Amino acid sequence: MSDTQKPDRPTAPAAAPTATPATGRTRALVRVVLGLALLLVLLAFPLYVDATWLRVGEFVMVSAVAAIGLTMLTGHCGQLSLGTPFFMLVGATTYATLASDPVAESGLVALGWPPLLALLGAIVVSGLAGLAFAPVAGRVGGIYLSVATLALVYLGLYLGQRFSELTGGAATGRPSPAFDVLGFSFTTAEPEFLLLGVPLQAPERTWYLFLVFTAIAFVLATGAVRSRPGRAWRAVRDNPASATAMGVDVARTRAGAFVVSSAYAGLAGVMTIQWFGLLKADENEFDGSWSITVAIGLLAMIIIGGLGSITGAVVGAAFVSGFPLALNVLVPQVGFLQDLTTGDGGFTPVVLTAYAYGALIVLLVIFEPGGLAAIARRLTHRFTRATTR
């Protein structure tokens, strides 16, 4: 058979396009530029906006810290938990007990520790509380763990009301101790301090304090998910049997993720009572700072932002926690919103936002299960491809 008579050989399929080093560098540069721009905006924000909007942003940061801890547990380790509000209550109560002045807090347990040391103690105690639950968290998963952790919310409701000498009870509560470092208060206006000619009052100082807490939580979480423990979490999430075959201790890995998430919740609890200025036990399990409603809201945050995305958890917190507060501020200022929420339709800012993020969750689950983080990655990929061309 001549060469011209030889049958055609099947051609190999074209190789899928791979990311070039230039593309990777462009993506990294885009992330760095966007991160620096966002940091500058957040640092300058208190100097130019009203204190009301600072309060909105501060509450978003409180929720963001709790959501970051939950997305490491649920998004990376695959452990569905509803117990975050309980560990927030543990952290808040520990901080109030350790940092309160024994003289001023008569009738309540108060140890008078320095606030920074009390903060670290609250984080450690919350982590230890998570460690106490580790035998359950390490061996139970899925819906069973969610039911088990839901019981923690009821336990927190009982303990908060029972030990009123620690929490102040559900009726009056106890004031949150001020947070100061080396004599500089972050929750009051003393001593007087000017930044670029702008006096820093309590809202501005609390903003910067919460920004530091959130930034530290974000950086540590990003490092954790990229490290060896983070890879072990994802291996356990994807296939526990395969993870065991590779030498990963599944029970210990799950327990470790639960401890880390509990410590983050403890920090969020301290930030919560600093934001309210008060530690108060819930009166029922459905309404309050440590309730089932808070647990469901945190799950909504990490689903909207994208399970497993640290940045997505922050964005989800901004939408779920910030949107209702922002609407409360905007309603008196925007005509059609005022007409909508003052009519007979039963609409309030809380109801409107519940409809909004409920609809968003449904749409994301149907059309983009990866959440807002997946949409952002797709847009970034298209931008970098266009830039490298």
Side-chain angles (χ1 to χ4, degrees):
M1 182 183 293
S2 63
D3 292 341
T4 57
Q5 295 175 327
K6 292 180 180 179
D8 294 336
R9 295 179 180 178
T11 57
T18 58
T20 63
T23 303
R25 287 193 295 268
T26 302
R27 291 180 182 178
L29 180 61
V30 169
R31 293 192 187 98
V32 170
V33 171
L34 291 177
L36 290 177
L38 178 61
L39 179 61
L40 290 175
V41 170
L42 293 176
L43 289 174
F45 197 70
L47 306 179
Y48 299 98
V49 301
D50 187 75
T52 304
W53 287 106
L54 293 182
R55 296 281 292 171
V56 174
E58 289 161 8
F59 193 70
V60 168
M61 287 187 274
V62 173
S63 301
V65 171
I68 289 172
L70 183 60
T71 203
M72 285 192 288
L73 178 64
T74 302
H76 285 268
C77 198
Q79 295 290 85
L80 180 60
S81 173
L82 294 173
T84 301
F86 170 78
F87 298 103
M88 293 173 64
L89 175 60
V90 171
T93 304
T94 303
Y95 176 78
T97 302
L98 295 178
S100 294
D101 185 0
V103 177
E105 297 284 345
S106 59
L108 298 174
V109 179
L111 301 181
W113 287 21
L116 185 58
L117 186 59
L119 171 67
L120 296 177
I123 295 173
V124 171
V125 171
S126 299
L128 292 176
L131 183 62
F133 196 76
V136 177
R139 290 169 173 80
V140 177
I143 190 66
Y144 301 103
L145 180 63
S146 65
V147 173
T149 53
L150 181 62
L152 291 176
V153 176
Y154 290 91
L155 178 63
L157 176 67
Y158 167 75
L159 295 177
Q161 296 178 358
R162 171 66 179 80
F163 294 98
S164 57
E165 64 273 14
L166 298 177
T167 64
T172 59
R174 66 185 297 177
S176 173
F179 192 93
D180 62 80
V181 178
L182 300 178
F184 183 86
S185 176
F186 286 92
T187 50
T188 65
E190 298 295 335
E192 183 179 352
F193 186 79
L194 298 178
L195 180 61
L196 299 179
V198 178
L200 294 187
Q201 304 298 325
E204 290 83 4
R205 299 182 188 209
T206 304
W207 171 275
Y208 287 119
L209 176 67
F210 283 12
L211 185 60
V212 170
F213 289 162
T214 307
I216 293 175
F218 183 90
V219 171
L220 292 180
T222 302
V225 300
R226 293 178 180 176
S227 65
R228 185 174 180 179
R231 293 192 293 271
W233 293 344
R234 290 186 291 277
V236 170
R237 175 200 64 190
D238 295 337
N239 195 320
S242 298
T244 302
M246 290 187 296
V248 177
D249 189 328
V250 174
R252 179 176 296 180
T253 300
R254 287 175 171 174
F258 201 87
V259 170
V260 172
S261 178
S262 302
Y264 269 74
L267 174 59
V270 176
M271 295 169 68
T272 299
I273 63 172
Q274 292 292 344
W275 191 82
F276 283 107
L278 180 73
L279 166 63
K280 188 173 180 291
D282 290 344
E283 297 181 3
N284 60 71
E285 66 272 23
F286 298 107
D287 186 25
S289 302
W290 334 106
S291 62
I292 296 174
T293 303
V294 174
I296 295 174
L298 289 170
L299 283 178
M301 293 174 201
I302 64 175
I303 292 173
I304 290 173
L307 281 175
S309 171
I310 304 300
T311 305
V314 178
V315 176
F319 188 84
V320 175
S321 291
F323 198 23
L325 295 179
L327 270 182
N328 278 318
V329 177
L330 290 173
V331 162
Q333 304 173 7
V334 182
F336 80 92
L337 286 176
Q338 190 172 10
D339 296 338
L340 182 63
T341 56
T342 56
D344 297 329
F347 288 103
T348 65
V350 175
V351 173
L352 287 176
T353 51
Y355 279 121
Y357 76 72
L360 184 58
I361 289 176
V362 173
L363 293 174
L364 288 174
V365 168
I366 295 175
F367 298 105
E368 184 50 86
L372 297 178
I375 298 175
R377 284 193 295 267
R378 188 179 299 112
L379 294 176
T380 303
H381 178 66
R382 291 180 180 177
F383 175 78
T384 53
R385 286 182 62 185
T387 303
T388 52
R389 286 176 183 175

